[in-house]
Amino acid sequence: MSTIDWGDAPTWAGALFAAAAAAAAIWTLKSQRDQIDEQRDFIAEQRALIADQSATLTLERAALVDAAEDRKRAQAEGVTWDTSGWFEILANYSNAPITNVRLEHPSEPVEVGTVFEGAASLTGIGLDPIEMPCSVLGIGRRLGCERPQGSNETIFATFTDDAGVRWRLDEHGKLEEIPSAP
């Protein structure tokens, strides 16, 4: 029978070193995979966080735009129409003067004047005639015009608020922003 030759010590040392190097390489690869998985999880969490923040910012921006629009309309909504007999009266109950005010009737011109109480008319309202457009209508001030007899057409006013926005308000309370010319 023959005996197995197990080799010499340097061969054994080389084999052990190679086995240790292979184990270290496997451990390094596993460690790198674990790090890559952690980084992927972190990136996924960050993307979800960014998406949530983006949605929150979008909602906040929409709320700010709505609030700005409400503030923009606030002064214009303080301008109202009142009716007294045959008179249509535009009153500035807003918190600031309005400018470049014009009262108009679609089919015929109307005489416009500042309103004063206690006149000798049946309605107790008198008009102090003025030229159109009225340059400034102060807080609490009123402009009026007599509705043309037999006309059911809507009278409307155009004016500029203190922010420089131009508005159109018909006697039924429909308020529209007039787009500025480019």
Side-chain angles (χ1 to χ4, degrees), residues 125-167:
I125 294 176
L127 298 178
D128 187 13
I130 62 169
E131 292 290 320
M132 283 285 100
C134 172
S135 58
V136 176
L137 185 62
I139 300 169
R141 305 291 299 189
R142 301 180 302 162
L143 285 181
C145 65
E146 189 171 357
R147 176 179 289 288
Q149 299 226 348
S151 174
N152 289 330
E153 292 180 293
T154 301
I155 295 175
F156 62 93
T158 55
F159 60 91
T160 304
D161 67 15
D162 67 341
V165 179
R166 192 89 177 125
W167 298 95

Side-chain angles (χ1 to χ4, degrees), residues 26 52 57 66 69 92 104-105 110 125 129 155 159 175:
I26 291 171
D52 289 346
L57 288 174
D66 289 345
E69 187 65 27
N92 180 8
E104 299 180 49
H105 185 270
V110 291
I125 294 176
I155 295 175
F159 60 91
L175 180 65

Side-chain angles (χ1 to χ4, degrees), residues 66-149:
D66 289 345
E69 187 65 27
D70 289 346
R71 281 192 306 276
K72 181 169 117 177
R73 290 185 68 88
Q75 182 186 8
E77 288 173 345
V79 179
T80 62
W81 281 103
D82 298 320
T83 301
S84 181
W86 284 97
F87 288 97
E88 294 297 333
I89 302 166
L90 182 73
N92 180 8
Y93 298 125
S94 73
N95 58 359
I98 57 175
T99 59
N100 197 22
V101 183
R102 184 179 296 275
L103 305 184
E104 299 180 49
H105 185 270
S107 59
E108 58 187 281
V110 291
E111 287 190 31
V112 177
T114 56
V115 177
F116 60 91
E117 304 294 332
S121 71
L122 294 175
T123 61
I125 294 176
L127 298 178
D128 187 13
I130 62 169
E131 292 290 320
M132 283 285 100
C134 172
S135 58
V136 176
L137 185 62
I139 300 169
R141 305 291 299 189
R142 301 180 302 162
L143 285 181
C145 65
E146 189 171 357
R147 176 179 289 288
Q149 299 226 348

